[in-house]
Amino acid sequence: MKEIILSATKREVKVAVIEDGMLVEFYIEREDIQSNIGDIYFGKVESIRQNLRAAFVDIGVGKAAFLPLADASYEIFEGESKRLHRRKINPHDNVIVQVVKESYGTKGARITTFITIPGRYVVLMPTTNHLGVSRKIADRKERRRLLKIGKAYKPKKMGIILRTEAEGKDADAISEDIKDLSSVWRGVTKKLKDITPPALIHKEYDLILKVTRDHFTGKDSVLYVDSKEGYDKIIKYLRGVLSEDVRRVKLYSSDVPIFEKMGIEKEISKIYRRNVWLKNGGYIVIDRTEAFWVIDVNSGKFNKIKEQEDMIYELNLEASKEIARQLRLRDIGGIVVIDFIDMKKEAHKDALLNNFRSILKKDRAKVSIEDITKLGLVELTRTRVRSNVSSIFIENCPYCNGKGFILSKPYLLSRVESWFKRRAKYLKGSEITLYGHPDIINYVEKEGKELLEFYASHYKMNIHLIPDTHLHLEDINIYRIEKNREIIEEL
């Protein structure tokens, strides 16, 4: 059972993906956090660095984007000729590129010239002549059927990959998807005639439609959305691709915020924590170094009376499930070294790895895993395309010189918004005072101005913001009067 919980306001869109009752993925899109993954740009090559085997391309977003020469198809748009030529990339060339990984720290976005345009059932690859089927479709007969359909409708000199969601779909639905994607690509190339690089020439779906397209799949999935505008957008999209999915979209309407009602807010607050406890009393520790991530498995309170070897295997098995979840939830990428508790039996080692690999197949990111070493270490690599999700919620802690983390200002503002949404009707005409550290109050006053003005005007509230240097940077105290009683709440 998969549940997709989508909460949308004017300021932000939040999405939680729940599988079998567990939060496994979380996405957020705010005014100050705009992903450009999947966006297509008309860029200009600034320089070629042979020592890095890469080109740096100006795509008009500030930092030059990084183009590995291995990811360059050498399809260059040649100024006045209005044609695409295949040759070696040189400085000052104009290139059509797509963002595959967000900029991070001092690094610019990673780009490619191998363009992909995803649809509901098909991914169109207009610069690559290829035909393939998702590896997650295991049935050989079904794979042959889909390949036959793909071969019949694949545009000439272009490529397509039949997505997992294409399984069981008829030729008409798949061909219609290919037709729509081909139309999108024609629109992209048409813009090249009247545009000067660097420029954005195709914007990927916003988070609402992207999640609907990529996650709202399978007959066992349900999508809950708390915004009428977002709900209408989703319904319109689904009616264009598969109308029978519409009945599994539910409009949520309640004074209690949907994330709070479903217990998601509590789970999200744990994303940045270093220690993660397991159901059996053990725990894992997640640390990051400059070069890679380290995850350590500890026995903790685990004390079942069993043979020692079986107990260790059971603990490692439970830890592997949680590690797989945390990789997705935090969107951890790069090299990850896992220190499982040492096991003596080869059968246990093999069973643990096989089970771990099976769980990791649910991950939409590409994961490669190595065998267990003699020291009980497992090394894996995971492709991460967006910024690590915990960075949305945390900042370096000023109290410990950056050795720890505190909740971020945008996240605290989000908590304030949830508080007002939940209580607004009951506090009409009330005096509300928010006390917080000066840095937090300044941020809420600046970034939350529209939010506070909305509740002040619609619910006749008098809202005051008071800085208090004695409060911690994570604390916001809300003071109000209810039935002649003074009430102070802490966020």
Side-chain angles (χ1 to χ4, degrees):
M1 177 69 176
K2 178 193 280 190
E3 295 174 298
I4 302 157
I5 318 299
L6 194 154
S7 178
T9 66
K10 290 183 178 180
R11 291 185 57 257
E12 65 182 14
V13 176
K14 297 185 294 185
V15 179
V17 180
I18 313 293
E19 290 181 0
D20 300 323
M22 298 287 288
L23 177 66
V24 294
E25 293 184 37
F26 176 75
Y27 303 91
I28 187 167
E29 192 171 82
R30 283 199 309 252
E31 293 175 340
D32 61 331
I33 304 176
Q34 291 292 323
S35 174
N36 62 351
I37 295 172
D39 291 354
I40 301 174
Y41 292 86
F42 191 27
K44 182 177 285 292
V45 179
E46 287 186 345
S47 63
I48 306 292
R49 296 282 298 275
Q50 292 297 344
N51 59 326
L52 298 176
R53 296 182 181 178
F56 288 91
V57 181
D58 181 7
I59 60 174
V61 296
K63 299 174 187 174
F66 183 82
L67 173 63
L69 296 182
D71 286 346
S73 67
Y74 306 118
E75 296 207 3
I76 313 301
F77 186 74
E78 290 287 308
E80 296 301 319
S81 69
K82 306 295 190 292
R83 295 169 59 195
L84 289 171
H85 296 278
R86 185 178 292 274
R87 64 169 176 78
K88 185 178 179 180
I89 286 180
N90 293 310
H92 311 301
D93 279 339
N94 299 334
V95 289
I96 304 172
V97 295
Q98 185 174 39
V99 175
V100 295
K101 189 174 183 179
E102 290 178 347
S103 60
Y104 182 74
T106 59
K107 297 179 180 179
R110 179 165 175 165
I111 55 176
T112 181
T113 57
F114 294 106
I115 309 298
T116 58
I117 306 176
R120 183 73 168 173
Y121 311 120
V122 174
V123 175
L124 179 70
M125 301 181 293
T127 60
T128 309
N129 192 356
H130 174 76
L131 175 61
V133 177
S134 167
R135 287 178 294 179
K136 292 186 178 181
I137 299 178
D139 185 84
R140 292 184 179 181
K141 186 176 180 180
E142 177 63 6
R143 292 180 68 87
R144 286 195 296 269
R145 184 187 75 88
L146 291 173
L147 283 171
K148 186 176 180 180
I149 294 173
K151 188 175 181 180
Y153 293 101
K154 185 179 79 69
K156 290 183 178 179
K157 298 182 179 179
M158 293 189 189
I160 61 170
I161 295 177
L162 282 302
R163 305 186 74 178
T164 308
E165 187 63 13
E167 187 171 13
K169 299 299 183 294
D170 59 31
D172 289 342
I174 293 171
S175 64
E176 190 64 30
D177 204 24
I178 295 173
K179 187 188 299 182
D180 291 342
L181 296 174
S182 299
S183 177
V184 170
W185 177 245
R186 284 195 298 271
V188 170
T189 55
K190 188 177 180 181
K191 291 179 182 178
L192 298 176
K193 298 178 181 179
D194 306 307
I195 204 165
T196 302
L200 174 68
I201 51 178
H202 174 70
K203 181 70 180 171
E204 167 65 308
Y205 278 155
D206 63 16
L207 184 57
I208 291 176
L209 291 184
K210 190 185 297 184
V211 165
T212 304
R213 180 192 67 200
D214 297 340
H215 288 276
F216 186 49
T217 58
K219 294 181 179 180
D220 64 340
S221 59
V222 181
L223 196 162
Y224 298 92
V225 56
D226 67 357
S227 159
K228 183 63 167 62
E229 184 180 347
Y231 175 83
D232 291 342
K233 180 187 284 190
I234 292 169
I235 296 300
K236 182 180 179 181
Y237 167 75
L238 289 175
R239 282 177 176 159
V241 292
L242 191 64
S243 58
E244 67 183 50
D245 287 349
V246 169
R247 70 179 185 275
R248 291 183 284 110
V249 181
K250 314 293 183 183
L251 179 61
Y252 177 88
S253 55
S254 172
D255 293 334
V256 181
I258 188 169
F259 270 39
E260 185 175 325
K261 180 75 172 179
M262 305 246 180
I264 298 168
E265 204 70 67
K266 185 178 179 182
E267 285 297 311
I268 290 174
S269 67
K270 299 177 183 177
I271 290 177
Y272 70 96
R273 293 183 181 177
R274 181 171 178 257
N275 291 5
V276 180
W277 286 94
L278 307 174
K279 292 179 180 179
N280 58 17
Y283 67 97
I284 62 174
V285 181
I286 303 174
D287 283 314
R288 185 176 187 177
T289 70
E290 285 291 324
F292 51 83
W293 291 80
V294 178
I295 301 178
D296 186 37
V297 180
N298 292 275
S299 58
K301 300 174 183 177
F302 187 89
N303 57 3
K304 288 188 177 180
I305 302 173
K306 283 187 177 183
E307 186 200 350
Q308 183 72 13
E309 177 70 13
D310 291 338
M311 181 188 78
I312 291 172
Y313 169 68
E314 186 176 330
L315 175 59
N316 281 336
L317 201 61
E318 184 67 27
S320 69
K321 296 175 186 177
E322 184 60 33
I323 290 169
R325 184 175 84 98
Q326 291 295 330
L327 292 176
R328 295 172 64 187
L329 185 56
R330 303 183 188 216
D331 199 19
I332 291 173
I335 299 172
V336 182
V337 176
I338 305 168
D339 185 7
F340 286 105
I341 298 176
D342 188 40
M343 296 176 293
K344 296 178 180 179
K345 294 182 179 179
E346 291 299 323
H348 282 164
K349 294 179 182 179
D350 293 341
L352 175 65
L353 270 184
N354 290 336
N355 186 74
F356 195 24
R357 287 192 173 104
S358 178
I359 297 170
L360 290 171
K361 286 180 180 179
K362 295 182 179 180
D363 197 331
R364 289 168 46 80
K366 184 179 179 181
V367 182
S368 299
I369 183 171
E370 302 295 330
D371 290 337
I372 298 178
T373 69
K374 292 181 179 179
L375 297 175
L377 301 176
V378 172
E379 181 181 298
L380 64 83
T381 57
R382 183 178 185 273
T383 304
R384 176 186 57 81
V385 295
R386 59 192 172 108
S387 300
N388 184 259
V389 71
S390 60
S391 64
I392 297 168
F393 303 102
I394 59 178
E395 301 172 349
N396 285 332
C397 176
Y399 301 112
C400 60
N401 298 316
K403 294 178 181 177
F405 302 100
I406 59 170
L407 295 173
S408 68
K409 298 178 187 70
Y411 179 61
L412 289 172
L413 178 56
S414 178
R415 297 276 292 271
V416 169
E417 183 173 9
S418 294
W419 186 90
F420 274 105
K421 185 177 181 181
R422 182 172 62 252
R423 293 171 171 80
K425 290 183 179 180
Y426 308 104
L427 298 176
K428 197 170 184 179
S430 298
E431 290 277 342
I432 308 290
T433 304
L434 274 69
Y435 293 91
H437 188 279
D439 289 355
I440 301 301
I441 293 299
N442 289 339
Y443 184 86
V444 172
E445 195 169 36
K446 181 181 177 182
E447 300 297 333
K449 182 179 179 181
E450 187 178 343
L451 167 72
L452 298 178
E453 286 178 349
F454 170 82
Y455 284 103
S457 61
H458 281 70
Y459 295 94
K460 310 301 179 186
M461 295 180 183
N462 289 318
I463 303 173
H464 310 280
L465 302 177
I466 307 295
D468 185 344
T469 56
H470 295 94
L471 286 176
H472 190 279
L473 275 162
E474 289 183 322
D475 294 337
I476 296 179
N477 294 339
I478 300 178
Y479 173 87
R480 60 192 172 90
I481 296 176
E482 184 177 300
K483 296 179 181 180
N484 297 320
R485 292 187 303 127
E486 294 181 354
I487 297 175
I488 295 180
E489 292 187 56
E490 292 184 4
L491 292 184

